[in-house]
Each structure stands twice: as C-alpha cells, then as structure tokens.
Amino acid sequence: MQHYRPITRLLKRAITVDQHLAFARPFTSLTTTANKHKPDTKKDTTATDTLSNRQKFNQIQPPIKLYEKLEKLGFGTLLKTKRYSGLHKQKARRDQQRQQYTERVGPPPEPKYAFPLLSFFAGAKVPTSFPPESLDEIAFVGRSNVGKSSLINSVAESSVVRTSDKPGLTQQINFYNVGKLFHMIDMPGYGFAFVDDAEREQWRELMETYITKRKTLKRVYVVLDARHGVKVADVDFFKMLNSKQVKFQVVLTKCDLLVLPNLAKRIVTVEDHIKQLRNAVKDVVVVSSKTDAGINQFRKEMLFLMGHLQPKEFYQAIQAAKDEKEARRAKSASFKR
Ligand SMILES: Nc1nc2c(ncn2[C@@H]2O[C@H](COP(=O)(O)OP(=O)(O)OP(=O)(O)O)[C@@H](O)[C@H]2O)c(=O)[nH]1
Ligand SMILES: [Mg+2]
C-alpha cells in the first residue's frame, strides 16, 4: 500500500495542474480538443497525457486573427480545403466588414521602413573588450544556427554580418553600428554541442555578463527556429533572463520553411511557454530572412523601440526617390540598347 501513496499524490497533482492550465489559458485555441470537451474529469486528463507532443501540436486550433496576421505579413494563404472551410467562412465575413470600412476611410498605406548603413565596429571574446557604453543597444541571442546573423543582415538590408549553414560560426559578441542611431549585437549561439565544455561555459559567462551588466541594452531578442520551437536550452535561457529582470522578446525565424497552419500552431505553443514570464514581451515576432516576410514590420517595431521611427511620409519620400532613380536608370538603359 505504501508504494501507491506517492503515485496517487502525483496523479492528483497532475490533475490540478492540468485544470489550472485549462482555466488559465486566455485563448480557447490553447486547449487541445481532448481537454476542451471535458476539462475537469480524471479520465480526460489521462487521455491528454497519453498524447504525443506531435498529436498535441496537431490539435491546436489557432484563432482566425492569427491566420489573418500571418497572411498580411506574407507567409502564404490558407488552403481552400474542406478542413479549413469554417475558417474561410469567418474570414469572408471579416473581409466584407473590412471592405466596407476601407470604402469609407480608405486603405492604410504601409511604407517600406529602412535602416541606415550597417557597419561592424567591435568584437569581444572577454568582458574586458566590450566597447564603452554609448548608443542604445539591441541584442540577438539564440541557439546555434537558428539564423541570428542572417536576421541582422535582413533587417539592415546588408551583407556585413557573416552567416553559415554550419552551426557555431559566430564565436564572439559582435557589435554593429546602425548609422549613428543605435547598435545591434550579434551573439554566439548557446547550447552549441560541438565545442568543449570549458569553451561553452566561457561563452555562457560572456553572454550573461553582457546581458546583465550592460546599461545601454534596451531589448534582447531571443531567436528561435520556427521548425523546432522552444527547446530545453531556450527554456533555461528564458528563465535566466526572467530572473535577472531583462526584458526580452521571442523572434521566430525561418518561417518560410513551415506551412501556414503549422506556423500558426507554433506561435500558439511559443506564446504558451512565455505567458508566465513577467519579463517576456507577449507578442511573438514572426519573420523569414529568406523571403523577407515580416521583416518590414519588425524593422518598424525596432525603430519605434529605439525612438527613431519617423512619420510615414519620411519613408514614403525615400521610397519615391528610389523608385524614380530606378525608373530613370531603366529608361537610359533601354535608350542605350
Ligand atoms: N530558409 C531560411 N533559412 C535561413 C533563414 N535564416 C537563416 N537561414 C539559414 O540558416 C543558416 C544559419 O544562419 P546564421 O544566420 O548563420 O545562424 P546563426 O544563428 O547566426 O548561427 P551561429 O552563428 O552559428 O550561432 C544559414 O544557412 C542561413 O542561410 C530563414 O529565414 N529562412
Ligand atoms: Mg551567427
């Protein structure tokens, strides 16, 4: 009889935790269909417990709003299949309402936001080589090979930052100057398996010192590969940032490699992970450095965060000047021919 006591206690705890989660979830989409029907029965808890992670992932029902946001950012469209017919009906209704609104007010023009020229100005392997604190800073961290360096290139429309398809390319903290507005910081990847323990510990200490001691650091972007989502190393890093009271936001990259429904489900799972962390920004950034989907919006958010977002007309004028220059060049090229 003594052997069964701890197990029963554990089971009871599992049930209360599951019930707590079911009620704490802000979206109905977060509850899997299994616990949606009967959230508070003992039988049902064991049914969800037996589901594999893949099955739980497949059962997530992201809200229509999320699909609409992703379509607008350029991550493809929802297939017109029977499976998504309910969502399509909801969408058609909302489209009609929106059309009526734009007929009255006119469509909102979204300019192309731009960063000034990106340049490398310092690299640090030890904390003593950090450059002096001057402009505000944004840092990009994440596991190796998730696409941190590519993301910096993409937002700055640059090729200054070195990238590679082999993990572990960035091995020091690199500081980049964005015009003379602010700095972007590229970090080595954490949880990298191919370096020895001593080196991994040295990188961890270096990153932790930078993140916790740097007064000019305004935001840490934790980059995740959208295909893999949150891994154990990421959870540890989230906890570290949260305990040190460092404000951070999750960026899902390589989103071009997922179909739209899976991308929406991935976002829901990531939001589920960070919702309890006080220092996490609840909005998840979704981008692809390859197709540039979501990059313009991300650029706008960063400019706003750094206090350098100009009125829309500023960017519209830059774009108009660029288009004019391009048209003139095309005209003279055709004339020469
Ligand atoms: N399809 C796709 N590939 C990407 C994207 N972003 C990065 N990659 C690829 O992912 C690989 C790794 O990119 P990096 O930017 O070097 O990754 P990192 O996180 O800086 O890696 P470490 O410096 O090793 O920590 C490269 O082959 C990139 O071309 C993306 O949005 N979509
Ligand atoms: Mg890198």
Side-chain angles (χ1 to χ4, degrees), residues 72 92-110:
K72 212 171 136 202
R93 221 175 303 129
R94 290 167 68 98
D95 279 350
Q96 201 187 352
Q97 284 167 359
R98 208 165 292 135
Q99 202 185 338
Q100 284 167 357
Y101 177 78
T102 42
E103 272 167 18
R104 265 191 291 126
V105 184
E110 194 59 40

Side-chain angles (χ1 to χ4, degrees), residues 16 65 69 102 131 136 263 270 295 312:
T16 41
K65 260 193 192 168
K69 180 183 155 191
T102 42
D136 285 345
L263 178 56
V270 173
I295 292 289
K312 278 180 183 175

Side-chain angles (χ1 to χ4, degrees), residues 108-113 296 300 311-317 319:
E110 194 59 40
K112 183 178 175 296
Y113 297 94
N296 197 36
K300 180 183 172 185
K312 278 180 183 175
E313 291 72 28
F314 174 86
Y315 299 101
Q316 278 162 350
Q319 194 57 38

